Amino acid sequence: MRIQVERDGGFAYIPGLRGPKTVDTATLPPTEAAALEAAARQADFSVAAERAAAPARGSADHRTVTITVEDGGASRSITVSDPIENDALRSLVDRVVAAAKA
C-alpha cells in the first residue's frame, strides 16, 4: 500500500510542511506497516468527504490536506480542510507524516 499526504495553501511558506509525504508500507517493519494499513482502511473516504469542512468565507490562510491511498491497483483520494476534524483521517495523516520522517 502506498499512501501520500500533501498539504496546500496557508499564509506562510514552511519548507518542512511543503511537498508530499509518501510512504510505501512494503518498506516498513511489519508491525508498523500493519498499523498504517489498518489506519488507511479505517479512514472512510466517502463519509469523510460528506463531512469535509468548507473554508470560512474570507479565510485567505485556508489550508487543505490531500490524502491518496493506492492499494492493489486501486486508488482513492480526498481533500479536506486543515485542521482535520475527522479522527480517522487525522490519525492516518499523523502516521504517514511520522513514517515519512523516519
Side-chain angles (χ1 to χ4, degrees):
M1 183 180 287
R2 184 175 175 270
I3 307 166
Q4 178 175 299
V5 171
E6 187 169 13
R7 296 179 191 268
D8 192 28
F11 179 73
Y13 173 75
I14 303 171
L17 296 179
R18 294 290 179 201
K21 306 291 186 219
T22 305
V23 174
D24 186 340
T25 59
T27 65
L28 299 175
T31 306
E32 190 175 342
L36 190 53
E37 289 174 2
R41 288 187 184 97
Q42 289 174 357
D44 184 349
F45 283 30
S46 60
V47 171
E50 293 172 5
R51 297 180 184 166
R57 292 183 60 83
S59 61
D61 195 20
H62 179 71
R63 292 176 39 137
T64 59
V65 179
T66 300
I67 306 156
T68 304
V69 177
E70 298 172 0
D71 187 23
S75 178
R76 56 192 171 131
S77 185
I78 185 170
T79 300
V80 295
S81 295
D82 194 16
I84 302 170
E85 294 181 13
N86 181 287
D87 293 337
L89 285 176
R90 186 174 52 250
S91 174
L92 177 59
V93 167
D94 291 345
R95 287 177 181 270
V96 169
V97 170
K101 286 182 183 178

